[in-house]
Amino acid sequence: MREQYRTAEFLEADLAAGPMEQFARWFKEAACGPAIHEPNAMIVSTATPGGRPSSRMVLLKHYDERGFVFFTNYGSRKGVELESNPYVSLLFPWHPMARQVIVSGTATRVGRDETAAYFRTRPHGSQLGAWASEQSSVIASRAELLARYEELAARYPEGEQVPVPPHWGGFLVVPETVEFWQGHENRLHDRLRYVREGEGGGEGGGKRWRVERLAP
């Protein structure tokens, strides 16, 4: 199975000054078009201190000059791995546009105020679900999960405020590299990567970035 990508060239002159501005450009294009159902769906890859990796799909909930934010149960596999090994990779697989964005960086917990502010925007059922599911733990059956949910639904009916779970919250991924991948025919893809060079003037609280072109 093979497909020829026929897209316009993606050149250094097309890039924004910093990776988060460039991400905003591509994200807007992905979100505005009909081809990609969930442009904020990303693959989050973590690893144990011993180097055993794991990956899963997670929804990006916010991005700004700091980096990328997603939310999870801190007791989940990814939450536990990030606590012991903060190095993380994100991948946005925008296949219908023949594009990928690949991020490598480090993850830190966001503040509880930021977590609470986002939690309040979630649908009531999703708030209950954050309490009902001990994410990544072994359970006996789906019935057990639904029983937990129904118990919580009775305790916190629709319209009543659900407390923010202490074991649930956000991670901020601060990028060290951000690669923008544009597919082309004959596998001669454009791969432009921002690499953080330390502190100084520029986007992201004083970060400086250099741009590298990678062979496809």
Side-chain angles (χ1 to χ4, degrees), residues 72-80 109 134-137 167-168:
T72 189
N73 187 313
Y74 287 136
S76 66
R77 179 172 180 176
K78 61 184 169 298
V80 171
R109 291 189 184 191
E134 296 180 14
Q135 196 176 53
S136 299
S137 66
H167 56 270
W168 188 94

Side-chain angles (χ1 to χ4, degrees), residues 6 31 33 44 56 64 80 91 95 99-101 107 122 127 145 148 154 165 170 179 190 192 195-197 208:
R6 291 180 171 87
V44 177
R56 74 288 292 161
D64 56 29
V80 171
L91 169 63
H95 301 306
R99 286 179 173 176
Q100 302 178 66
V101 180
R122 303 186 94 204
Q127 293 181 9
L145 179 65
R148 291 180 192 168
E179 177 185 335
D190 285 321
L192 299 179
V195 180
R196 190 175 64 187
E197 288 196 308
R208 292 197 309 266

Side-chain angles (χ1 to χ4, degrees), residues 11 173 193:
L11 304 176
V173 177
R193 181 173 65 183

Side-chain angles (χ1 to χ4, degrees), residues 163-196:
V164 182
H167 56 270
W168 188 94
F171 279 106
L172 167 68
V173 177
V174 178
E176 296 175 355
T177 68
V178 185
E179 177 185 335
F180 293 86
W181 184 102
Q182 177 71 69
H184 289 294
E185 59 186 335
N186 303 318
R187 297 301 185 258
L188 299 178
H189 315 308
D190 285 321
R191 298 176 60 191
L192 299 179
R193 181 173 65 183
Y194 292 85
V195 180
R196 190 175 64 187

Side-chain angles (χ1 to χ4, degrees), residues 70-141:
F70 67 92
F71 293 84
T72 189
N73 187 313
Y74 287 136
S76 66
R77 179 172 180 176
K78 61 184 169 298
V80 171
E81 290 182 356
L82 287 173
E83 286 300 308
S84 58
N85 178 2
Y87 296 110
V88 62
S89 175
L90 311 177
L91 169 63
F92 294 86
W94 296 331
H95 301 306
M97 301 176 70
R99 286 179 173 176
Q100 302 178 66
V101 180
I102 306 120
V103 179
S104 64
T106 55
T108 58
R109 291 189 184 191
V110 304
R112 292 308 292 174
D113 288 347
E114 185 172 351
T115 285
Y118 169 68
F119 188 79
R120 297 286 171 237
T121 70
R122 303 186 94 204
H124 181 74
S126 296
Q127 293 181 9
L128 296 177
W131 279 101
S133 174
E134 296 180 14
Q135 196 176 53
S136 299
S137 66
V138 176
I139 59 175
S141 66

Side-chain angles (χ1 to χ4, degrees), residues 10-18 22 25 180 192-194 211:
F10 182 48
L11 304 176
E12 286 81 349
D14 301 323
L15 286 173
Q22 182 61 41
R25 292 179 184 179
F180 293 86
L192 299 179
R193 181 173 65 183
Y194 292 85
V211 173

